Amino acid sequence: MCFIWACTKYLARRNPKVFVRISHPTAVLFVIVTTVFFVVLQMFYVVPQLFDVHGLMYKLGWLVAIFITYNIFGNMLACHITSTSVESLPKDRQFPKPEEEHLWHYCDVCEKLMPPRSWHCILCKCCILKRDHHCIFTASCIGHNNQRYFFWFTVFMALGTGVALATHIIATLKYFRYSDLIFLNFPKDNLPPFWLVFTLILNTYVFAAPVSSVLMQLSVLQNNVTLHDFYSDTCDLGLWKNFKLISGEKGLWTFLSPTVKSPLPHDGTQWKTKRYDISQF
């Protein structure tokens, strides 16, 4: 995994245009195909082994599947179309006020001053407000304006693959008696079908990726940091206040849908710190 990450980073720096043309459509298509594959697999093959297709539980399963799928694709799209570049600011906020000028830093590529916590992205070719990283799965940079959508995107990916993994395990265990599992005595005449075992293994691997992303985002959220200042706690205001900085005034209600309007507390140019107000960064 580290080798793949290192190669990806090298290609991105060596030839950004080629990297974007190849990685963006490939990664986005991977998310779409994987999501659709597991929804179809679950609702037409795995879940019917657990519940009557005409019963209430099966219908509830469809509601859960639709809700999770909607939020995966919805947050993924919102993340992509929401600009978080410095250029997305109103014209008068793209330049520092006289009292803030010493807090902004100069970008050699853009050739102008940039707000605190803004970093240049060689793939987006601009500076990003509170830039965390460039995500190929949303084909966009993750920063101040769209981190909410990326956070819920990873959460729903983990939730979806997690629910799928749980139903997979239950469906597989139905082929064994309790005593078989205790004594590891698996009768050859009652083994689960190959497709079920294979997709269970595949589901386990697919589940690991979004879970690791969620854990990383929780680490970022805990101290209000980015991958550029991961070990700093300068802007840490406490877990709930940190969460409101990315989710906006509606907080946890943003879990319901990417369309929930939740204005952020500021425009991404001024940041509160533990002891003083921002812009002192």
Side-chain angles (χ1 to χ4, degrees), residues 67-82 149 153 257-259:
F67 175 70
I68 293 176
T69 304
Y70 161 72
N71 273 285
I72 289 175
F73 291 150
N75 282 292
M76 180 181 174
L77 178 61
C79 200
H80 175 71
I81 65 177
T82 303
Y149 304 116
F153 168 67
S257 170
T259 61

Side-chain angles (χ1 to χ4, degrees), residues 177-223:
R177 297 187 299 270
Y178 181 74
S179 58
D180 295 334
L181 299 174
I182 295 296
F183 298 106
L184 300 178
N185 178 30
F186 304 128
K188 295 182 179 181
D189 59 342
N190 193 34
L191 292 175
F194 172 77
W195 69 265
L196 186 60
V197 177
F198 175 76
T199 52
L200 172 61
I201 297 172
L202 179 64
N203 197 162
T204 304
Y205 279 101
V206 174
F207 175 62
V211 166
S212 62
S213 295
V214 170
L215 293 177
M216 178 61 73
Q217 283 299 300
L218 289 175
S219 299
V220 165
L221 187 63
Q222 182 179 8
N223 294 320

